[in-house]
């Protein structure tokens, strides 16, 4: 089969993922859950397999048979639920990709902490087996500490246990969340296990990277702000760090990728710069969410989404080194008071600003806004560029402040 006929298998993902693969000259077979398959997918893909791709008993015979027909050159995903299926497919079909063991370590937060427990910068952690486990962890490692689901995303279910008096309330919250289906990713995240971790002080950063046969190329160090919880209010790059602090953050992130066995493709690694030095929070073998891919493309000229499929299928060469920034980029998120949306103002004017990369308002009049408990409870975002990070952050905050999502508490 010629290079121009290479076929990539894409697990899940948005229409844009498929479009970028097609622009690289690839044929695309897309495995997608039926309820998430869009007309845009159908217009672009060469074949579609509509199935629950998180169920290996269903996926394995489908992709094995499809491989006999198409001869996949690679397999890729940009979604969190897709990383384990990609690992299993890579192992089974012998395709370029991270192993399932690596994918599992980066998905299962408890397994990741255990795997890295030998490191000098290891973070104390343990499973929540019962209510007493919370009290025991606090007595051993001090308060506050963090409780979060082992298998989740979007900061959902993350709690800070401030002191012994908070244990009972946190335990009730864990009990209520176990088995919960009242969230957008209930089909992917069962919320049955929870992890305790020591609290890490200091500012948080993420490292966006691409890996090529085990050689990690950092693209950006991103700074983040939060909304007084664990939900992000914004991101900006390049992060405003001293060279020494940036080197420390990068070293922590890239050494973690080595330790977890990551060898290929995009990664999003979160690091706290504590008073004791950098500490790993989490790492993911896929691009960061919140449209960080768009910020990286604007600031550094590297399209992570295209590389996800292009490197896997062998049609994009490895990056030789870290790219230099050509601009700064930032995003600020929109929030609204809980209630029913009665109006949206200001977004049209903001879209017309010359430095705006994108504006998303993810709700409409009549929708119900829930209390802010996870990233999906935000109501939109504004993405901008600037000559430097200070300017980009200031502009993002200014323009986000011009958009109002008006709600009525009682829905009337």
């Amino acid at each position: 089969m010629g290079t121009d006929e290479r076929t990539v298998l894409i697990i899940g993902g948005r229409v844009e993922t498929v479009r970028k693969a097609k622009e690289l000259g690839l044929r695309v077979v897309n495995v997608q859950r039926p309820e998430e398959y869009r007309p845009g997918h159908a217009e672009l893909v060469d074949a579609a397999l509509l199935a629950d791709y998180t169920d290996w008993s269903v996926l394995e015979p489908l992709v094995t048979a499809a491989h006999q027909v198409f001869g996949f050159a690679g397999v890729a995903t940009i979604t969190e639920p897709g990383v384990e299926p990609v690992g299993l497919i890579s192992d089974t079909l012998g395709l370029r990709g991270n192993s399932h063991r690596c994918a599992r370590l980066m998905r299962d937060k408890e397994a990741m902490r255990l795997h890295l427990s030998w490191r000098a910068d290891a973070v104390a952690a343990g499973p929540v087996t019962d209510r007493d486990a919370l009290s025991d962890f606090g007595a051993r490692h001090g308060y506050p500490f963090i409780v979060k689901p082992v298998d989740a995303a979007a900061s959902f279910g993350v709690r800070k246990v401030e002191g012994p008096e908070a244990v009972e309330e946190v335990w009730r919250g864990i009990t209520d969340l176990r088995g919960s289906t009242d969230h957008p990713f209930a089909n992917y995240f069962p919320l049955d296990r929870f992890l305790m971790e020591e609290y890490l002080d200091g500012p948080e950063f993420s490292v966006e990277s691409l890996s090529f046969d085990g050689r990690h190329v950092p693209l950006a160090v991103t700074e983040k702000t939060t909304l007084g919880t664990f939900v992000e209010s914004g991101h900006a790059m390049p992060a405003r760090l001293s060279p020494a602090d940036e080197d420390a953050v990068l070293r922590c992130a890239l050494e973690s990728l080595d330790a977890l066995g990551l060898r290929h493709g995009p990664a999003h690694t979160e690091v706290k710069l504590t008073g004791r030095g950098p500490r790993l929070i989490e790492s993911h073998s896929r691009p960061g969410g919140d449209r960080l891919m768009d910020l990286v493309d604007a600031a550094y000229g590297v399209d992570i989404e295209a590389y996800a499929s292009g490197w896997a299928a062998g049609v994009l060469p490895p990056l030789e080194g870290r790219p230099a920034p050509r601009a700064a980029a930032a995003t600020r998120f929109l929030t609204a008071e809980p209630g029913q949306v009665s109006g949206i103002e200001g977004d049209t004017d903001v879209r017309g600003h010359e430095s705006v990369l994108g504006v998303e308002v993810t709700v409409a009049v009549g929708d119900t806004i829930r209390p802010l408990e996870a990233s999906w409870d935000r109501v939109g975002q504004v993405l901008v560029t600037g000559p430097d990070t200070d300017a980009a952050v200031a502009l993002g905050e200014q323009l986000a402040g011009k958009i109002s999502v008006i709600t009525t508490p009682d829905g009337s």
Side-chain angles (χ1 to χ4, degrees):
M1 184 177 294
T3 300
D4 60 343
E5 297 179 322
R6 291 186 188 182
T7 303
V8 65
L9 178 65
I10 294 178
I11 307 300
R14 58 183 193 160
V15 172
E16 192 64 19
T17 309
V18 177
R19 180 176 293 110
K20 289 179 179 181
K22 297 293 289 185
E23 290 172 353
L24 292 172
L26 293 165
R27 296 195 301 174
V28 176
V29 176
N30 187 207
V31 184
Q32 191 67 267
R33 293 177 71 98
E35 67 272 18
E36 295 177 6
Y37 191 64
R38 304 285 182 258
H41 288 106
E43 294 169 3
L44 291 168
V45 300
D46 296 274
L49 305 176
L50 303 185
D52 178 4
Y53 56 78
T54 64
D55 185 339
W56 183 238
S57 68
V58 172
L59 183 64
E60 191 272 338
L62 280 178
V63 298
T64 300
H67 186 46
Q68 297 299 314
V69 176
F70 293 99
F72 299 128
V75 58
T77 190
I78 67 162
T79 69
E80 180 75 4
V83 297
E84 284 199 67
V86 164
L88 288 166
I89 293 167
S90 298
D91 290 347
T92 300
L93 301 184
L95 301 177
R96 173 190 279 172
N98 298 307
S99 68
H100 179 253
R101 172 173 168 75
C102 168
R104 187 60 190 160
L105 286 174
M106 298 178 81
R107 281 268 289 155
D108 185 319
K109 298 173 179 64
E110 181 182 348
M112 184 200 76
R113 288 298 187 205
L114 181 61
H115 183 74
L116 299 178
S117 61
W118 58 271
R119 290 169 50 128
D121 60 357
V123 175
V128 180
T129 53
D130 53 28
R131 183 201 176 284
D132 288 343
L134 295 168
S135 297
D136 292 344
F137 191 87
R140 181 175 303 175
H141 299 288
Y143 294 91
F145 65 89
I146 300 299
V147 171
K148 60 186 179 183
V150 166
D151 183 9
S155 301
F156 185 60
V158 182
R159 299 288 185 269
K160 185 178 179 182
V161 187
E162 295 283 3
E165 70 284 352
V167 166
E168 189 61 42
E169 180 183 355
V170 171
W171 174 244
R172 284 198 302 270
I174 291 172
T175 303
D176 291 342
L177 279 177
R178 277 189 169 141
S180 169
T181 58
D182 186 27
H183 61 92
F185 291 96
N187 290 329
Y188 299 117
F189 305 132
L191 298 181
D192 57 347
R193 294 187 295 138
F194 287 77
L195 180 70
M196 302 170 290
E197 294 181 342
E198 66 174 293
Y199 177 71
L200 301 174
D201 65 325
E204 184 174 338
F205 302 90
S206 65
V207 176
E208 325 312 325
S209 63
L210 286 168
S211 296
F212 306 96
D213 290 316
R215 181 175 62 85
H216 311 304
V217 177
L219 305 175
V221 178
T222 309
E223 64 181 64
K224 75 159 64 175
T225 55
T226 61
L227 291 160
T229 60
F230 296 95
V231 179
E232 291 91 347
S233 60
H235 304 277
M237 62 181 70
R240 292 167 288 188
L241 281 168
S242 70
D245 283 343
E246 182 179 75
D247 285 348
V249 169
L250 285 172
R251 185 168 58 253
C252 176
L254 302 186
E255 288 178 355
S256 297
L257 296 183
D258 280 337
L260 292 166
L262 186 93
R263 294 190 54 77
H264 299 285
H268 169 72
T269 307
E270 299 164 356
V271 175
K272 272 277 186 87
L273 192 55
T274 76
R276 297 174 293 149
R279 295 291 185 270
L280 177 70
I281 301 174
E282 297 175 4
S283 189
H284 305 272
S285 54
R286 43 87 176 160
D290 290 347
R291 294 187 62 178
L292 286 175
M293 293 185 297
D294 296 319
L295 298 187
V296 170
D297 198 8
Y300 293 90
V302 177
D303 190 332
I304 296 175
E305 191 168 20
Y307 259 97
S309 57
W311 169 251
V315 297
L316 281 180
L319 294 176
E320 293 304 316
R322 184 181 179 187
R326 60 187 189 184
T331 184
R332 286 297 179 265
F333 294 95
L334 309 176
T335 60
E337 292 297 318
Q340 188 176 65
V341 178
S342 58
I344 300 170
E345 299 176 351
D347 58 308
T348 301
D349 290 341
V350 170
R351 291 178 200 276
H353 194 285
E354 63 181 1
S355 295
V356 165
L357 290 172
V359 176
E360 283 186 296
V361 178
T362 56
V363 295
V365 172
D367 287 349
T368 299
I369 306 298
R370 299 171 14 139
L372 189 66
E373 296 179 344
S375 296
W376 51 66
D377 295 320
R378 301 171 307 199
V379 298
Q381 70 182 117
V382 177
L383 301 96
V384 302
T385 59
D388 55 48
T389 306
D390 286 342
V393 168
L395 179 62
E397 291 174 348
Q398 175 194 347
L399 296 181
K402 292 184 175 183
I403 301 176
S404 297
V405 175
I406 305 162
T407 61
T408 52
D410 58 0
S412 61

